[in-house]
Amino acid sequence: MQFRTLLKCIAASVFVASTLAVSDTSSQPYVEGFFNKSKSGHTNNWAVLVCTSRFWFNYRHIANTLSMYRTVKRLGIPDSNIIMMLADDVACNSRNIFPATVYNNRDRHLDLYGENVEVDYRGYEVTVENFIRLLTGRVAKETPRSKRLLTDDQSNILVYMTGHGGENFLKFQDAEEISAYDLGDAFQQMYEKKRYNEILFMIDTCQANTMYTKIHSPNILATGSSKLKESSYSHHDDPDIGVAVIDRFTYYVLELLEKVDMQSKATLKDLFDTYNYNLLQSTAGVRSDLFNRPLDQVLLTDFFGNVQNVELTEPKERSSSVAEDDDMTEEAEPTILESQKENNSQAIQQSQQQQQQQPQDHTFEIGDSSQSQTWRYAAFVTLSIVLGGVLVACSTVV
Amino acid sequence: MAGPDSRDHSAKATVVFASALVLRLALFHFPALSNILAGQVEISTPITSFKRLSEGVFLFKNGVPPYDGGVFHQSPLLLGLFYPIIASPFLVKLLYTLSDLAIGYMLLQITGIKDQDTAKEKKIRQYGDKIEDPGMDGLTVATLYLFNPFTIASCLGKSTILYSNLAVVAGIWMGMRRNKSLAMFNIALATYLSLYPAMLAIPVFLMLTRDVNDYSQVKRTVVQCASLFAASLVSLFLLSFVLVDTWDFFGSVYGTILAVSDLTPNLGLFWYFFIEMFDQFRPFFLMVFQIHVVIFAIPISIKLRHHPLFASFLLCTIMGAFKGYPSIGDASLYLGLLPLSSEIFKYMRYTFLIVNLFLYSSLLAPIFWYLWIYVGSGNANFFYAIGLVYGIGEIILMIDSTFAAMRRDFEALSPPETS
């Protein structure tokens, strides 16, 4: 008796477990994977690219930001989803001997400022206040749409910042600083307002890793170019432009990203594995404790791109009626052409007739009217002579 | 008058008129000069422009109603006058030159009649028993008119105000000759051409009746003159209707003169004012401006009834200063009529100022026009200011000459005492 009951219990539990297992694993991942791509839960991508430095010798910071801009655009994020903040305009700087261009490499093969660049916050608009207002969504009522971060709880945001920084701060415009605490609070506000699904925070400054130490909101992955008490270095300079054109960290990140396209399955782990102290000459760091997913399952295109999940459905089969239509049109064409030719000839004949008729309808006839003019003029002259005679006669009498 | 005087006189007259003719034809020989002057706003206005006249004649020749376009605002009789001759530039130049010479000749004749009148009237005594010096002789008057730069410029610019001026001077001449019908006809013709000379009917009437003492005869003359004036005007209108076969010319010609619809800048007061005026005030100000032109006719004629020549000069100056579209052709008319009253010159006080104002404004007006329109470094205010300076010159001329005439009258009654 006990043995049978035990067997029944085992069979029932096995049956229930298998049913549950089947129901859990068979369709749901497919469904979830379809509607939430890559299981990350985001449906749209945004990028906030910030260059905080002003002045000509910080050319490389502008070049950094424009390189990231180019990358995210290339991988599919549209301008409407990119907020780019450039604190200075080096392309049109009077010191730029290649005006209206920004290069990130000495070979100058790629002009980052070439066409189709949309800068949302420029010059003195790049301030700490504007940045924090942008992130938290507490912008002024009259702020245009292009200057707002219109994210929702299914947005993955790439926040890239570059400039001059230090321990727990980042310098804006040579006049003010944003601290790591401010950044952490801003991200917390975003979390509370459900303004993001996941954030990748990338920062390329001196002592960059300190900037992400004070973040305390979930689903934020951060990476920086150098740790406390370390500087981040520029990569190389262009002897013609005269200043450094790219930073090391961004340069090596781009080296990987340039090989990525929209179909790429490269992950963030691949990116972080390329961090090499010998190349960067600084210790790049990653903070993933707030991030839920394992890094080898996070695609680069989850943050740098805007890959949409598309499924093609089978096209409807064309029936034989289509072939019949073709035949009909082929047969109809000659007749149509012939009738058109007939119409054309008729039209030509009609227009010729009209042209012949036109001189007779024209109002500026020289022939007829001038004859009437002459008669009228003759009448006028005669009448005036008559009246003149009357006048003279009058003058003698009166 | 016979004898060597008249032969000298006629020789001098020939010299003057011949040189005036030669000068004009010689200057006409350079068509560039004529074209430049015809384009100057000081010379040609929308109602006297030769370019618009040629446009009208062209339209008329091709059977298009000339008044439909809104560009031609001149009387149909001018169309009739130019219709046969506009094809030949020489005939046109000759016509203008001969009209100018005709005005000079008439001024000569008017002065002669005036001298005869002066010979009869009581002598003015000045400064003791000294009798007043005789005024300018006719040839000087004619010379002053013919060689006035304004006259020459207006003639070269082919402004059609010349024909209105011709009619005015002819009316004055006929008035001095006591020829009622021709005088009234000429004033009617001048009215027909540019409307404002209607005011001159009163001084001309005074000229016609200057020696008549019988009040009933004066009344009869009034009736006669009025009916002659009306009849002439009506026949002129009928003649125009025969020519252009439409009554549109009323609106086009007299409508433009009265309503000042074309605000092309000129040396007058209207255009600047009316450009910036709101539409609801326009009729009121238009009425005020137009009344301002004609309101002086009766008071001046009453006060100066014994000096109808001077009254006609004064009314011509008022017309030239306050009309809607003044030009230097109007200036040439009253500056030509001024020497007819040359005996007042010694009583005028501001001659230097008047001459300077005329000189200043006539030199600066083209310069400021150029600065405004072509260079763009000036603006409308510059040109309008010069127009105002010109207006002030005219006004001071009017005031000073009236004062001089009154002063002369006063001295006739009570000459100044000496020692």
Side-chain angles (χ1 to χ4, degrees), chain A residues 193-334:
Chain A
K193 288 177 161 185
K194 296 189 182 3
R195 278 170 69 77
Y196 69 92
N197 176 46
E198 283 172 349
I199 289 182
L200 173 62
F201 177 67
M202 184 180 269
I203 179 161
D204 183 359
T205 69
C206 303
Q207 306 188 48
N209 298 353
T210 58
M211 277 304 284
Y212 60 66
T213 52
K214 305 290 182 265
I215 301 175
H216 50 93
S217 318
N219 290 335
I220 297 183
L221 182 61
T223 176
S225 58
S226 54
K227 65 178 190 188
L228 181 64
K229 305 256 190 293
E230 267 185 3
S231 299
S232 293
Y233 296 95
S234 63
H235 187 262
H236 67 272
D237 48 50
D238 183 331
D240 292 322
I241 294 178
V243 287
V245 293
I246 190 82
D247 277 333
R248 286 185 174 265
F249 177 73
T250 309
Y251 179 85
Y252 289 110
V253 167
L254 285 173
E255 256 200 353
L256 182 83
L257 287 175
E258 282 296 306
K259 302 191 193 103
V260 167
D261 62 5
M262 284 202 231
Q263 276 82 38
S264 165
K265 299 292 176 204
T267 64
L268 277 179
K269 184 169 186 303
D270 300 330
L271 172 64
F272 298 148
D273 284 345
T274 62
Y275 288 169
N276 182 346
Y277 181 82
N278 293 329
L279 293 174
L280 294 173
Q281 295 176 4
S282 57
T283 314
V286 175
R287 179 178 175 186
S288 55
D289 59 319
L290 298 165
F291 198 69
N292 289 335
R293 297 190 289 140
L295 291 180
D296 55 358
Q297 287 174 13
V298 181
L299 297 179
L300 281 176
T301 52
D302 282 354
F303 288 103
F304 290 95
N306 193 24
V307 178
Q308 301 294 335
N309 209 3
V310 174
E311 191 173 291
L312 290 176
T313 54
E314 283 287 318
K316 238 186 354 181
E317 280 192 2
R318 297 263 170 219
S319 58
S320 57
S321 61
V322 172
E324 285 173 2
D325 286 339
D326 286 337
D327 289 336
M328 280 174 62
T329 51
E330 281 170 358
E331 287 166 358
E333 274 171 17

Side-chain angles (χ1 to χ4, degrees), chain B residues 11-22:
Chain B
K12 277 195 245 176
T14 322
V15 166
V16 165
F17 282 94
S19 47
L21 175 79
V22 166

Side-chain angles (χ1 to χ4, degrees), chain A residues 366 373 376-377 380 383 391 395, chain B residues 60 77 80 84 181 185 242-243:
Chain A
I366 305 292
Q373 291 291 76
R376 200 179 302 142
Y377 191 70
F380 164 74
L383 194 58
L391 182 66
S395 68
Chain B
F60 180 66
L77 280 187
S181 46
F185 169 73
V242 166
L243 186 62

